[in-house]
Amino acid sequence: MTIFVLDQERAREFYTEKLGFEVRADITMGGEFDGAGQGFRWLTVGPPDQPGFEVILADCSMGHDEGTAEQIRELVAKGALSTGVMDTPDCRKAYEELSARGVVFLQEPAERPYGIEAVLRDDSGNWFSLTQRTR
């Protein structure tokens, strides 16, 4: 899964220190990969208990011209690119733990037809549903 972020180092800190993910790859790729001689940082993270799942924390310019990268930056910062759902066995407990680590929530845990949901925001503006599904 790819998530566009405004600052890869800040995103790395957010996803590892606040969400508890682990770094899977942090590699600087040379300019031969983008055709412009610029190179880029390949940064991936994932939940420790899911070794087969990686999230690419991509700089908005990765694979894009500067005009497109700027449009992506604006959309990310506005929160216009929601990213997905994170499953949790206990939404209220996860909300308390993550809030204590400084994670910003747009919505506190609330009962929904599908379970209990809270909505969190990363340091770039992307938002996620944190959901405890009704079993």
Side-chain angles (χ1 to χ4, degrees):
M1 180 169 97
T2 301
I3 299 173
F4 287 108
V5 297
L6 301 179
D7 180 295
Q8 285 181 299
E9 189 56 32
R10 276 193 357 242
R12 180 186 177 280
E13 290 170 11
F14 176 85
Y15 283 86
T16 58
E17 295 173 17
K18 295 190 180 199
L19 293 186
F21 287 16
E22 61 186 16
V23 173
R24 301 280 171 77
D26 192 350
I27 305 164
T28 301
M29 307 290 270
E32 68 274 13
F33 294 100
D34 71 357
Q38 298 282 326
F40 61 91
R41 182 179 182 186
W42 182 259
L43 175 60
T44 69
V45 297
D49 60 343
Q50 296 179 30
F53 179 69
E54 285 188 65
V55 176
I56 304 164
L57 300 176
D59 184 274
C60 297
S61 62
M62 192 169 93
H64 299 102
D65 61 75
E66 189 48 42
T68 302
E70 187 54 37
Q71 290 175 329
I72 294 170
R73 281 186 204 97
E74 290 173 11
L75 290 170
V76 169
K78 283 174 40 174
L81 299 177
S82 80
T83 310
V85 177
M86 295 183 196
D87 224 20
T88 181
D90 188 334
C91 187
R92 289 183 176 88
K93 180 179 178 187
Y95 170 82
E96 293 299 327
E97 290 172 355
L98 294 173
S99 292
R101 291 188 210 155
V103 174
V104 173
F105 279 83
L106 303 175
Q107 173 190 300
E108 294 181 6
E111 298 284 336
R112 303 283 183 234
Y114 47 84
I116 302 169
E117 177 190 49
V119 178
L120 66 94
R121 182 180 189 272
D122 76 4
D123 67 307
S124 292
N126 298 299
W127 59 271
F128 302 85
S129 169
L130 179 65
T131 304
Q132 174 185 339
R133 299 197 187 273
T134 304
R135 303 286 179 215

